[in-house]
Amino acid sequence: MKRLLAIALGAVCLIALVARIHAGPGQPFGGDDTGCVPDSTDHLRCANTVTRAFSSLVSSVIRCHRRQAMARMKGQTFDEESCEEATPSSGGRSAEEKFNARISRIAPHCSAAQIAGANSLRDTLLASKTNPSSLDALNGTVYCDSATGSMIDASGDDAGWVPASTNFARCENMVGSNLGRLVSQVIRCHSVFAKNNFLAKPFDEESCENVAQGRYNSAADKLTAMGICPLCQSNANQKATGSSLITQFDNANASMYPCPASTTTTSTTTTSSTVVTTSTTSTTTTTLLPLPTTTTTLGTTTTTSTTTTTLGCTCAGGTPAQMASTTGIGSGNCGHLESDTNPNFFSLACGGLYVGGASVGVPLPFQVPDVDDADGGDRGRGRRQPLLGRLQHQRQLHDERRLPGRYLQIPEMHEGGLPVRPTVAASERRALERRDEHLRHQHRQRGRLGER
């Protein structure tokens, strides 16, 4: 009984895992990740660009903070605001302006919810130190040693303290860089997870995040072992900051992958057999929110009977292995050609072949040989079919073999008073040129022998 219970629990866990991995387009991710899988290819493309833009934004702002801290430590000035945000002196080079430019380029492929979510998260990350979710507030966690008593931006919006020594500055700079890489890797995990869910492919997003966190923790261990960090950047504090940042961007995932307010889905299911076909049409309306969904189904069923009969071959002599056809001369009018101005400007006579173009003086149509038999079967395999028209000699055919059947002789054509040869494929033309060159060479050799 215990074994059966364990198997049942394992099956339930397996079903829950599969549901977690294979959330469909427009469905919530589930687990600790907010947001929904993009519901279209365009929206997936938009989300991928948005996530990369946020990864670059975070890294760029952290670099701005590092340059600001180093400038303050050296007693120099640095316009951190123009590095981070759009200002009259930023000249389109700030982190915010680069982010906005990327979003503007991808906007035609985005939904209104995606644009609104991206703008909202951007404003949160670029808010002042009074917002605990902002990167300016995170700066106080990175440059945490207050031994100097001097704040990096006492009158501005950036938290943090001026490093007390070169070693402390080096440690805190490396902590900031490690956090930037951690955010980029976590966002990358979310991006791959969304793409694989959209394509119905399995992906263990939790393992991806665990790998990213493991790399960050290893970097923290190495940094601690160097012995250059202040007390506020202990090994435990560095790892706690990393875990907090992962949670923050798991919660912010809904801004990069927003859920559609509602969708209406119509599905048709058909089951058929050789005798009876049953068709069922149902209309399903599903409201997709982070909360449990509500589904209402209305349906009608219609049943029809059909009979399918497969006819076998009843030819004398068994199943045929070859096919034969015979041409014949038709008579009368078999169609016409249309132009832009005249829907019936040229009639086509039956039993003829039409070729040529403008200013081609050819008597049309050519007559197709009557009662011309052609066989198709095993003996035709691996050979070229007869060319339309004899070029100059039957040896011009592939491997100098003539296939069964008669050949249509195309009369001499003139265009602008000059004779025109029928069009020949490039490979056939090269073969003809090589043959002609060979004949000329033989002729020259015979001439030399005669002179001797």
Side-chain angles (χ1 to χ4, degrees):
M1 184 67 180
K2 293 181 179 179
R3 183 176 300 176
L4 293 177
L5 180 60
I7 293 174
L9 291 175
V12 171
C13 293
L14 179 61
I15 292 173
L17 177 61
V18 171
R20 161 78 170 131
I21 294 176
H22 291 289
Q27 299 295 326
F29 288 111
D32 60 356
D33 298 304
T34 60
C36 291
V37 181
D39 55 358
S40 69
T41 303
D42 270 357
H43 293 168
L44 176 64
R45 178 181 176 184
C46 172
N48 290 338
T49 301
V50 169
T51 54
R52 289 193 295 269
F54 273 112
S55 179
S56 299
L57 177 67
V58 172
S59 299
S60 297
V61 172
I62 289 177
R63 285 195 297 270
C64 292
H65 290 163
R66 180 171 65 245
R67 295 176 62 186
Q68 180 188 37
M70 292 299 95
R72 289 281 287 117
M73 183 179 176
K74 298 175 182 179
Q76 301 172 353
T77 58
F78 176 72
D79 189 0
E80 187 270 343
E81 291 303 314
S82 295
C83 177
E84 179 179 326
E85 301 178 8
T87 65
S89 59
S90 60
R93 296 185 298 272
S94 68
E96 181 183 15
E97 288 169 307
K98 292 179 180 178
F99 175 87
N100 292 340
R102 297 182 73 170
I103 299 303
S104 297
R105 288 194 295 269
I106 197 63
H109 301 279
C110 302
S111 66
Q114 287 178 304
I115 298 298
N119 291 338
S120 175
L121 181 56
R122 175 205 59 197
D123 294 342
T124 298
L125 294 177
L126 297 181
S128 68
K129 59 187 176 184
T130 58
N131 188 329
S133 298
S134 69
L135 296 175
D136 284 350
L138 178 66
N139 199 50
T141 305
V142 175
Y143 297 96
C144 56
D145 182 51
S146 60
T148 60
S150 299
M151 298 190 68
I152 290 178
D153 191 11
S155 60
D157 57 0
D158 298 309
W161 303 86
V162 177
S165 67
T166 303
N167 280 340
F168 285 1
R170 182 183 176 190
C171 171
E172 290 170 334
N173 289 341
M174 293 179 69
V175 170
S177 298
N178 292 339
L179 290 173
R181 282 191 291 270
L182 176 63
V183 171
S184 296
Q185 291 171 4
V186 170
I187 290 178
R188 173 64 178 168
C189 291
H190 293 167
S191 177
V192 176
F193 187 43
K195 179 180 178 180
N196 279 270
N197 274 273
F198 183 82
L199 299 175
K201 295 181 179 179
F203 179 74
D204 191 349
E205 184 264 348
E206 291 301 321
S207 295
C208 181
E209 285 189 1
N210 290 337
V211 170
Q213 187 171 15
R215 292 174 179 172
Y216 172 82
N217 290 342
S218 296
D221 292 339
K222 293 179 181 179
L223 187 57
T224 303
M226 295 172 66
I228 60 174
C229 295
L231 293 178
C232 63
Q233 287 296 1
S234 65
N235 186 270
N237 287 347
Q238 291 183 50
K239 293 179 179 178
T241 303
S243 298
S244 175
L245 207 56
I246 291 176
T247 302
Q248 177 182 342
F249 277 88
D250 279 344
N251 294 333
N253 201 47
S255 296
M256 291 178 270
Y257 296 96
C259 293
S262 63
T263 60
T264 301
T265 304
T266 303
S267 61
T268 302
T269 304
T270 302
T271 304
S272 61
S273 64
T274 57
V275 178
V276 178
T277 300
T278 302
S279 300
T280 302
T281 303
S282 62
T283 302
T284 304
T285 302
T286 304
T287 301
L288 301 177
L289 295 171
L291 299 176
T293 60
T294 301
T295 303
T296 304
T297 303
L298 299 175
T300 58
T301 303
T302 60
T303 304
T304 59
S305 299
T306 60
T307 302
T308 303
T309 304
T310 303
L311 299 177
C313 178
T314 57
C315 304
T319 302
Q322 293 184 345
M323 179 182 68
S325 61
T326 302
T327 63
I329 299 297
S331 60
N333 190 349
C334 286
H336 64 273
L337 299 179
E338 298 181 0
S339 68
D340 294 337
T341 58
N342 187 352
N344 190 12
F345 84 99
F346 188 80
S347 298
L348 301 177
C350 298
L353 174 65
Y354 293 83
V355 299
S359 303
V360 177
V362 180
L364 298 177
F366 302 143
Q367 290 296 317
V368 178
D370 192 13
V371 194
D372 184 18
D373 297 331
D375 296 331
D378 293 339
R379 63 174 178 170
R381 295 177 182 173
R383 299 181 179 181
R384 288 191 179 182
Q385 296 301 316
L387 297 175
L388 182 59
R390 300 181 66 175
L391 301 180
Q392 288 184 1
H393 194 275
Q394 68 182 31
R395 288 185 302 173
Q396 296 171 9
L397 295 177
H398 184 57
D399 292 337
E400 298 185 358
R401 293 177 297 180
R402 180 174 178 178
L403 301 181
R406 285 186 287 177
Y407 295 82
L408 176 62
Q409 180 66 45
I410 299 178
E412 185 179 11
M413 297 183 292
H414 294 269
E415 183 172 356
L418 298 176
V420 179
R421 295 181 60 186
T423 302
V424 184
S427 58
E428 299 288 349
R429 184 170 60 253
R430 288 193 295 270
L432 293 176
E433 292 173 352
R434 287 195 297 269
R435 191 202 63 177
D436 293 341
E437 179 62 27
H438 179 66
L439 292 176
R440 286 194 294 269
H441 176 71
Q442 289 181 341
H443 180 72
R444 288 194 297 269
Q445 291 293 336
R446 293 191 186 99
R448 294 192 185 98
L449 292 175
E451 293 175 358
R452 293 179 183 176

